[in-house]
Amino acid sequence: MTGLLNIVADPATFATVLRVMTPLLIAALGILISDRAGVFNLGMEGMMLTGALVGVLVSAWTGSAWLGLLAAVVAGGLMGALMAFAVNTLGANLIITGIAMNLAASSGTTLGLFFATGDKGMSGALKSGVMPSIDLPFVGDIPVIGPFLSGHNVLTYGALLAVPLVSLMMARTAFGLRIRAVGVDPKAAATVGISVKLIQLKALILSGVLGGMAGAYLSMGYVSWFAQDMTAGRGFIAIAIEVMGMGTAWGTLAATIVIAIAETLAITMQTLGLPNELMQMIPYVVPIVVLTIWTARGRAKRVALK
Amino acid sequence: MNRAFLANLVRLAITLAVIGTVILAVLLPFALPHDHPGTVIAAFLLGPLSSLRHLGNVAEYATPIAFTGLAATVVFRSGLFNLGIESGVFLGGLAATTAALLLPSFGPFTPLVAIVFGAVVGSISCIIPGELRLRWEAPEMVTSLVLNFAILYAGVFFLNYYLRDPAAGSLMSYRIPADAKLDRLLAGTRLNSGAIVALVACLAGGVWLYFTRSGLNLRIVGQGPVFASHLGLSSRRIVMQAQIVGGMIAGMAGAIQVLGLYPRFSWTQLPGLGWTGIIIAILARENPFYVVPAALFLGYLQVGGDFLARDIGIPSEVVGLITAAIMLAVTATAIFQHPAVLRLIRRIRRVEAAR
């Protein structure tokens, strides 16, 4: 038991939670924006994967991690635009478009890696960049809590900062209001002069930008290389997180923390000798249980109101 | 000639034209830097048709995805977007291996027992999200999406602790006994008797959906639950039936894939056959009769991709790009519900009606 207590009180455990959290939070916020605009982004997994590869390749070519991040963000945004084009101009089904995005990204990144390096599995031979960690001035010197708060990846701080920003954007800006209007009732939004297609295009580009950023963190922060299908379902967990968060930025943050703690627990419990496959199940079982309880409670309330 | 048939022929012709265009459009950027772009495209398009053995490879690829395509069709027809078929395939393969290894031999019926066992266990993956949806309104798309991974890790745990052959180099089961394996049909390929089962299953699925009362009930419930309840149909039971049947077909896909192709069970990732099944269901417009040609078509693309990889040196992943583009193109209402197309179809019908 003291072993477990030591793990919980260790700044390293806290750092692991933040590391696990970062890509999930960024991706889930991206899904949130698309969801609220009525164009649920099931292609998030593919956008993350694309961002991860583009970040590694561009940072290796230019020698700059920041340019890699920029390229990853642009690539994600382009995929968002492509998705908007497929849904709103071609008239393809939204969910099918998302599945197609994931398939195209999974094959496309393998091809891209092959043509860039001659290897289909890993980018280990490339000297790609890593996003820097930041030691906060003053904050890092605070006794006890200082080591917990300082020294994390710049994208981790970015992800945490994105929560109030997305929340403010959705609640307090004209753009956020239009997104919500389009998501609730596109026809009503159109009658007051909002261009539904344009708002959905912008929302999906923004969603893709965040997806590219989440992917860049995976290959240039979480680890320092790209591997085939390295997102490993994180885009899908992000979907579950967004649904658990009930479409609000702060709810998404709370859900991300729950999942990240579950995953950290899984990682640390493996070191205590428990079968690691069963521990790996935890972050996937938690959203199913939470979602079921919440929807069941919601239904019970509606029944009680009748 | 039947006018509905003729109108369908118009749609089919457009579909084929769209698919052909998409294949060329995706392939050209890869072919053009090559010295002889023509040979690249020829290898991809004609390679799979070049010999009986390669046609056998096409059918071999088509077998599991015909099953998953049928499974996706049945599940989607119920109106639920249940993605559990992906892990249903995994679970079916694992359960069939378990039955083959741990149960005594049943002589010539050993494969049958293993497949049934695989189908029953595989259906769990679709039943859980379906039940959570019907009982508590939990969104089935999201729960099935994450459940796939939960089932994967539970399965890998089972493989590691109960079926693992310590003598094998990596994580894989003991050798599947010979009497549990399916018969091979064509020398030089892994085409097996599962292909016949797949064909029969798809035809039976079509007959069920279009020519029986319970099939009609399913189509009604899937298209309009409110209308179905006015008719006095028990939506809940009918939807659940579809999840069970769809999950069982997915489990069969995994069981037949493992018993027909592999010496041991060695999946430690989701095999992806369920996602391909969704693509097939879309290509086949959720019609079981069209699942077989759709599966053969994707098998043909896959063998074409193998030719590209072997003869030209372009990774076969290019097939994934082509498939993704086809998915978008064939569901594009901008093409299939274009006013000109609709006018053409209407005119054909009027001509026929006037006769």
Side-chain angles (χ1 to χ4, degrees):
Chain A
M1 208 51 217
T2 49
L4 199 62
L5 266 178
N6 280 338
I7 289 172
V8 171
D10 188 358
T13 309
F14 188 71
T16 308
V17 173
L18 285 181
R19 266 162 54 89
V20 170
M21 233 178 95
T22 305
L24 296 177
L25 182 58
I26 301 175
L29 288 174
I31 292 166
L32 183 152
I33 294 170
S34 68
D35 184 21
R36 294 302 291 271
V39 276
F40 196 91
N41 183 2
L42 192 64
M44 181 51 80
E45 175 90 358
M47 293 176 182
M48 289 171 74
L49 200 55
T50 308
L53 176 71
V54 170
V56 161
L57 290 185
V58 172
S59 76
W61 284 332
T62 61
S64 158
W66 287 98
L67 282 178
L69 174 70
L70 180 70
V73 160
V74 170
L78 282 177
M79 282 186 77
L82 183 65
M83 197 166 165
F85 170 77
V87 172
N88 276 337
T89 309
L90 281 181
N93 176 291
L94 178 66
I95 301 296
I96 290 168
T97 306
I99 296 175
M101 287 305 223
N102 292 336
L103 176 64
S106 170
S107 316
T109 50
T110 306
L111 284 170
L113 186 64
F114 175 79
F115 285 116
T117 67
D119 191 330
K120 273 170 73 172
M122 286 263 285
S123 74
L126 289 178
K127 281 176 77 93
S128 55
V130 174
M131 296 304 292
S133 295
I134 295 183
D135 285 314
L136 297 177
F138 309 120
V139 178
D141 302 330
I142 302 171
V144 187
I145 57 165
F148 285 91
L149 299 179
S150 183
H152 301 295
N153 193 292
V154 58
L155 284 177
T156 302
Y157 293 114
L160 293 172
L161 204 61
V163 175
L165 285 181
V166 169
S167 181
L168 277 178
M169 184 192 83
M170 297 305 288
R172 297 292 160 93
T173 67
F175 179 54
L177 178 68
R178 290 198 184 114
I179 286 185
R180 285 184 289 138
V182 166
V184 170
D185 190 340
K187 279 181 188 145
T191 56
V192 294
I194 299 175
S195 166
V196 175
K197 286 184 179 183
L198 191 63
I199 293 291
Q200 291 186 333
L201 172 70
K202 285 179 182 170
L204 274 174
I205 288 178
L206 207 52
S207 181
V209 160
L210 288 170
M213 198 184 290
Y217 175 78
L218 281 180
S219 63
M220 302 197 300
Y222 195 80
V223 294
S224 57
W225 60 81
F226 176 86
Q228 195 174 23
D229 290 324
M230 72 183 300
T231 41
R234 281 192 184 81
F236 298 137
I237 297 194
I239 287 175
I241 286 175
E242 193 269 344
V243 179
M244 283 163 69
M246 306 247 179
T248 67
W250 293 104
T252 302
L253 175 66
T256 312
I257 291 174
V258 170
I259 297 294
I261 288 176
E263 203 165 329
T264 308
L265 214 60
I267 295 170
T268 47
M269 275 177 16
Q270 284 168 32
T271 62
L272 298 177
L274 290 157
N276 81 60
E277 295 90 352
L278 290 185
M279 297 301 115
Q280 276 176 303
M281 280 177 70
I282 296 175
Y284 297 95
V285 173
V286 169
I288 299 177
V289 174
V290 172
L291 270 180
T292 307
I293 292 173
W294 283 3
T295 49
R297 277 182 56 196
R299 198 169 83 148
K301 259 184 213 158
R302 280 203 305 282
V303 170
L305 283 174
K306 267 182 192 168
Chain B
M1 256 212 256
N2 189 314
R3 59 204 157 119
F5 176 76
L6 251 179
N8 275 338
L9 219 55
V10 172
R11 285 215 179 86
L12 181 68
I14 298 173
T15 308
L16 292 179
V18 163
I19 288 175
T21 315
V22 165
I23 291 177
L24 287 182
V26 179
L27 213 50
L28 268 182
F30 294 94
L32 284 180
H34 201 261
D35 296 335
H36 306 283
T39 53
V40 177
I41 292 170
F44 181 75
L45 292 179
L46 303 178
L49 309 175
S50 59
S51 76
L52 183 63
R53 192 163 69 84
H54 295 130
L55 285 174
N57 288 333
V58 170
E60 170 198 322
Y61 273 122
T63 303
I65 55 182
F67 277 114
T68 52
L70 179 63
T73 298
V74 171
V75 168
F76 293 169
R77 280 285 181 155
S78 73
L80 291 201
F81 205 79
N82 190 337
L83 302 170
I85 28 183
E86 175 67 36
S87 56
V89 175
F90 175 86
L91 212 49
L94 182 69
T97 312
T98 310
L101 289 174
L102 302 182
L103 294 181
S105 172
F106 296 91
F109 297 105
T110 314
L112 184 70
V113 173
I115 290 170
V116 170
F117 195 69
V120 171
V121 177
S123 67
I124 294 172
S125 66
C126 284
I127 292 176
I128 294 176
E131 185 64 26
L132 294 180
R133 167 61 193 263
L134 291 173
R135 193 180 288 269
W136 289 300
E137 292 177 10
E140 78 282 357
M141 191 188 87
V142 180
T143 54
S144 61
L145 210 50
V146 278
L147 183 69
N148 281 339
F149 289 93
I151 287 180
L152 166 71
Y153 290 118
V156 173
F157 168 77
F158 187 80
L159 172 66
N160 197 1
Y161 282 79
Y162 297 97
L163 301 178
R164 180 175 194 165
D165 183 355
S170 55
L171 177 53
M172 50 177 78
S173 74
Y174 287 98
R175 280 186 180 283
I176 297 168
D179 60 353
K181 288 192 180 171
L182 302 177
D183 298 323
R184 296 281 163 94
L185 297 179
L186 188 62
T189 71
R190 298 185 294 177
L191 183 64
N192 55 69
S193 48
I196 301 169
V197 184
L199 181 65
V200 173
C202 288
L203 295 180
V207 170
W208 172 57
L209 202 57
Y210 289 108
F211 297 103
T212 69
R213 179 177 298 187
S214 79
L216 177 66
N217 287 347
L218 177 62
R219 284 186 290 142
I220 294 173
V221 168
Q223 278 182 2
V226 179
F227 178 60
S229 73
H230 283 307
L231 285 179
L233 292 174
S234 161
S235 296
R236 205 184 170 299
R237 195 175 52 82
I238 292 167
V239 170
M240 200 60 215
Q241 258 174 10
Q243 311 309 308
I244 295 171
V245 172
M248 287 182 81
I249 300 169
M252 274 174 82
I256 284 176
Q257 185 74 349
V258 170
L259 300 180
L261 263 54
Y262 306 141
R264 308 158 181 267
F265 182 88
S266 60
W267 283 336
T268 52
Q269 290 295 324
L270 291 172
L273 295 168
W275 288 112
T276 314
I278 294 170
I279 299 166
I280 303 243
I282 292 159
L283 279 178
R285 312 261 186 227
E286 298 182 12
N287 180 337
F289 290 123
Y290 296 159
V291 163
V292 174
L296 284 172
F297 172 67
L298 281 197
Y300 161 79
L301 290 185
Q302 196 60 55
V303 176
D306 290 349
F307 267 89
L308 282 188
R310 207 190 57 199
D311 296 354
I312 316 279
I314 298 173
S316 59
E317 273 78 10
V318 86
V319 173
L321 284 185
I322 293 176
T323 315
I326 288 178
M327 278 174 81
L328 293 185
V330 300
T331 55
T333 49
I335 300 172
F336 287 90
Q337 287 172 20
H338 192 278
V341 174
L342 295 180
R343 261 202 306 275
L344 178 66
I345 290 173
R346 217 175 297 138
R347 210 165 63 207
I348 290 173
R349 288 194 163 160
R350 217 178 292 143
V351 169
E352 285 291 328
R355 252 181 222 169

